[in-house]
Amino acid sequence: MESGYVTTPFGRRPMSLGMLASQQLAETIEPGMKRSKWKLFRAICEARPALGVTDRALTVLDALLTFYPDDEISEEKGLIVFPSNAQLSLRARGMTPATLRRHLAVLVEAGLILRKDSPNGKRYARRDRAGAIGDAFGFSVAPLLARAVEIESLAAQAVADRELLRVTRERLTLCRRDISKLIMTALEEEISGDWEGISAMFRTLLARIPRVATAEELAPLLDEMGLLRAEVVNMLERRIKTQKIDVNESQSEHHKQNSNPDSIYELEPSFETKQGEKAAADNNPNAGPLEERRLKQQKPSVGMSNRAGGAADPGAGPNLKSFPLGLVLQACPSILDYGPGGSIGNWRDLMSAAVVVRSMLGVSPSAYEEACSGMGPENAATVIACILERGGHINSPGGYLRDLTRRTERGEFAIGPMLMALVRANGPTARQAS
């Protein structure tokens, strides 16, 4: 391009300061500078968002570069391409003339090409007698060569940003998975702590993650999730250390019996005995903890023996008469969906459904086994059905079941009022037993 040469667009197209700046920049090409046109084009594709061009505009630029005769762009070989609209449209995947003109204007505004219009607006080249091009009118790719270093730098930065975003997203995904499963473990193992508050904090962090985010937006969220994960891990590690201490003490003092009937063992079934059961166990010198538990189940509870005539009150202790199955299903219709084939026709079906629901609610096998031993399998299945029906109001189903089991053993809990309350809550349209 001639030094100090300024060209204005043909026809009604206006001149702009940006176009003038691009022409001035095109005059600053260092002598001998060369670039592979296709490598430079790939760099432009990488840096497309920073350059402010669309993918359709890059399709037009790709077509323009096919008209450049050599693989390397250099001043020695000329910087003007002059295809007709018909030829350019064919190489631009059949783009219509109007669309073609619009995307050519985008490339000019982005400072990637320049227009060098002829007096009549046509694109052509004048050749000398030897066939060499003397002057040409069309589109100049001089800005590509002048901005090659800038474009390559923008492309490298775009690649680095994309890699950083990928790594940040991976770390965030792993952190989310860790927190979710650690909280689930804590709830299943019934570890003490404000897990409801921690879960709420976790949900708040998840809600703040944008659908389309940059690495800079995700970095502070990753830091906060990392702190939350560290706190959850610390709470679980403290529980593990406490368990080790309890196991060591239990192994060194296993010959001692626990005389406190109100003590709580959250991880294993308890084997403590009441006064009457202690005497029965003392009569059998070979009776161990399992034998003591069997005697305890055979002995009516204190609350039961205090009733008139010793009549068994349904749902008030172990080995007691259960409520009618139809009443249980009327009070707890949700359990029907978990029965064999989606229905419950007998107590065996209800107990099978209770095992499925127990796992779904996160109740540990030891807690359910303790309930079956303390209440009887039918009543334990009934309580699981009630917990399922009231699931939205119970934060820790496993802890709640253990508490009901202990209250049953002390004669302080009856299933009847719970069933009647659910019958009233479900109303007359509740599903009936099949």
Side-chain angles (χ1 to χ4, degrees), residues 263-264 266 370 399 402-410:
S263 63
I264 298 174
E266 286 295 336
E370 186 176 351
R402 287 188 187 273
D403 180 64
L404 294 184
T405 302
R406 289 191 291 268
R407 289 168 57 191
T408 300
E409 293 171 349
R410 296 196 298 267

Side-chain angles (χ1 to χ4, degrees), residues 41-173:
F41 178 73
R42 282 193 292 272
I44 293 171
C45 292
E46 292 283 2
R48 181 178 66 82
L51 294 172
V53 292
T54 63
D55 54 349
R56 298 295 299 280
L58 290 182
T59 300
V60 176
L61 180 60
D62 181 27
L64 277 175
L65 290 177
T66 62
F67 289 98
Y68 194 82
D70 296 291
D71 181 69
E72 286 189 335
I73 301 175
S74 64
E75 283 190 291
E76 290 77 9
K77 298 174 182 177
L79 297 172
I80 305 294
V81 292
F82 41 88
S84 66
N85 282 340
Q87 292 175 319
L88 188 57
S89 176
L90 287 175
R91 296 196 189 184
R93 300 354 180 226
M95 192 175 291
T96 62
T99 305
L100 193 66
R101 287 192 296 270
R102 186 168 66 252
H103 292 300
L104 284 170
V106 170
L107 292 173
V108 172
E109 288 294 328
L112 296 179
I113 61 173
L114 289 175
R115 292 181 183 273
K116 186 181 178 183
D117 290 343
S118 66
N120 61 3
K122 301 294 183 180
R123 301 179 200 131
Y124 58 88
R126 292 196 182 97
R127 302 178 183 271
D128 57 20
R129 293 182 179 180
I133 296 177
D135 200 2
F137 299 95
F139 297 103
S140 171
V141 296
L144 296 182
L145 199 57
R147 299 179 63 185
V149 175
E150 175 197 353
I151 291 171
E152 290 164 353
S153 176
L154 290 174
Q157 185 62 46
V159 172
D161 290 345
R162 187 168 62 247
E163 179 64 16
L164 178 61
L165 179 61
R166 182 188 66 80
V167 172
T168 304
R169 283 189 175 278
E170 285 181 354
R171 292 176 179 173
L172 188 62
T173 299

Side-chain angles (χ1 to χ4, degrees), residues 317-375:
N319 290 337
L320 299 176
K321 181 180 178 181
S322 60
F323 283 85
L325 179 61
L327 178 61
V328 174
L329 297 181
Q330 182 180 355
C332 310
S334 298
I335 195 71
L336 288 166
D337 297 331
Y338 301 91
S343 64
I344 294 176
N346 51 52
W347 281 105
R348 183 181 296 275
D349 291 345
L350 179 64
M351 287 186 283
S352 298
V355 172
V356 176
V357 173
R358 186 276 305 167
S359 177
M360 183 190 72
L361 293 176
V363 176
S364 65
S366 62
Y368 186 63
E369 179 186 353
E370 186 176 351
C372 289
S373 300
M375 302 179 180

Side-chain angles (χ1 to χ4, degrees), residues 375 378-388 400-401 404 413 415 418:
M375 302 179 180
E378 292 86 359
N379 287 332
T382 300
V383 170
I384 287 291
C386 292
I387 292 175
L388 174 66
Y400 184 67
L401 181 62
L404 294 184
F413 171 67
I415 301 178
M418 179 186 289

